[in-house]
Structures are given as structure tokens and as C-alpha cells.
Amino acid sequence: IFLITSMYVGSGKSFISLNLSVAVAIQNKKVLFIDADLRRASASRIWNSPLLGLSNYLNGSLNLKSAIYRDKKYPNLHYMPVGTQPPNPTELLTNNRFRELCDVVREEYDYIFIDTPPMENIADASIIAKYVDRSIFVVRVGMFKRNRLYQLEEFNQSNLIKKMLIVLNESTQFNQGGYRYSDYY
């Protein structure tokens, strides 16, 4: 199970997690993509934002099988959209149903990718991080200040983000015709 997060909105975590899910699914691996960004649901829009999904499962109004859909283009790719956007996302994630979800899907899928909200001001990603095996932290060039790198190290050292991998997104933006120094990565 992989958690995909970033520090800020707009870093490209949904784009990267969706493409990673497809890339693994076309290699004949059974993949589940979970849109756990219960506030924005941007990844769910790829599948026209189905009305039922993760939030409905977490609040107990939907069984797990009914919350998971199969992609029409990639048969090995299943997805769980946000569903009904809840008024209390953090509260939903702290109930035992999210842990149960991870336990069940871990047995059924080869890879699970969970797209989460950014870490900046929201606790959701750190709640979900308890149930994953690895984490992918997306850093977008031009958005992440170098003087904030200590936070990534703190996340890693405290094991808040398990076995963290870092993806540098849009790195070609500043590498046109040589090196450029900046306060941003």
C-alpha cells in the first residue's frame, strides 16, 4: 500500500498517483486506486465523480464491494472515488473502517495507491500513513522552498511518513539552457 501526498495543493500528487496506478495495472498487476482526498476529490473527477465511494463506506452506508469500481479502459485497475463529500473528513478517517478497508484490500490487490490531501494544514495524510507500507512525497519545482526541507526530514525521521520516496515534479521547468539557482526546489 502506497500513500501519495505533498506539502501543497497543486504539486501534482493526483496526476502522479493516477499515472502510477495505470502504469502498474498495464503490467498485469491488480491495482486499486483510492481517492482519499475527501475535501477536494480531484482524482475522482477522472471517472466523472461517482456519487458513492470511500466516504460512503467509511460512514457505514455502503459495503466495500459497492464502493469499488472497475476502470473501463484498464481491466486490472479498480478505483474507489471519494463519493459523497463529507462534512467531517478527518473524523471519518479516524474510525476503524479505514483500517479494516486496508486490511481487506491488502489481501485482494497487488498494489494499492492512496491519493491523500497535502500535509500542509490537514491531518488526513498522517492518519492514513499508519496503514501503508511506503509513502511517495511529491515536491513540485517552484512551489517547495528549500528552507522547508527540514520538514521532509522530520516526517521521515519521525516515521510520520513511512519509508518515504520523493518525486520531484516539473523538474525541467528550471533546467532550460543550464543551471539556475533559486530559493525553491
Side-chain angles (χ1 to χ4, degrees):
I1 299 180
F2 287 83
L3 170 143
I4 298 93
T5 193
S6 63
M7 187 66 77
Y8 309 110
V9 171
S11 295
K13 64 178 181 50
S14 296
F15 175 80
I16 288 170
S17 58
L18 284 164
N19 280 289
L20 187 57
S21 297
V22 169
V24 174
I26 63 175
Q27 298 299 316
N28 287 326
K29 300 295 182 188
K30 193 169 180 187
V31 175
L32 175 63
F33 176 89
I34 300 174
D35 187 355
D37 191 343
L38 297 170
R39 290 171 171 76
R40 294 178 48 94
S42 56
S44 293
R45 290 186 208 119
I46 297 296
W47 292 287
N48 296 318
S49 301
L51 298 176
L52 300 174
L54 177 63
S55 65
N56 307 94
Y57 169 76
L58 293 177
N59 72 21
S61 65
L62 188 66
N63 68 38
L64 182 58
K65 245 184 180 165
S66 300
I68 296 175
Y69 302 82
R70 175 175 271 170
D71 186 82
K72 290 179 175 93
K73 188 173 181 182
Y74 306 103
N76 287 332
L77 176 60
H78 297 111
Y79 62 94
M80 180 181 274
V82 165
T84 307
Q85 285 191 288
N88 56 347
T90 304
E91 196 175 304
L92 275 180
L93 290 169
T94 57
N95 75 28
N96 284 334
R97 290 184 63 88
F98 193 83
R99 180 186 47 77
E100 291 167 7
L101 163 71
C102 290
D103 290 344
V104 170
V105 297
R106 183 183 299 275
E107 299 300 319
E108 192 172 331
Y109 292 91
D110 297 315
Y111 291 89
I112 298 120
F113 297 100
I114 305 173
D115 184 31
T116 69
M119 299 283 293
E120 185 178 26
N121 294 321
I122 302 170
D124 298 3
S126 59
I127 293 167
I128 294 168
K130 297 176 207 170
Y131 309 110
V132 304
D133 303 310
R134 295 199 70 110
S135 302
I136 299 172
F137 197 97
V138 179
V139 173
R140 187 173 188 157
V141 170
M143 288 186 84
F144 196 90
K145 284 193 165 208
R146 288 183 194 195
N147 65 3
R148 304 280 307 263
L149 282 174
Y150 74 92
Q151 287 180 298
L152 293 181
E153 184 60 24
E154 285 176 2
F155 293 156
N156 193 37
Q157 293 297 323
S158 67
N159 212 22
L160 179 64
I161 298 181
K162 291 181 184 172
K163 297 182 182 177
M164 183 170 43
L165 304 165
I166 297 175
V167 172
L168 186 61
N169 191 18
E170 291 218 14
S171 61
T172 59
Q173 178 180 339
F174 287 114
N175 193 15
Q176 297 174 3
Y179 295 100
R180 177 176 168 175
Y181 294 94
S182 170
D183 288 337
Y184 295 89
Y185 265 113

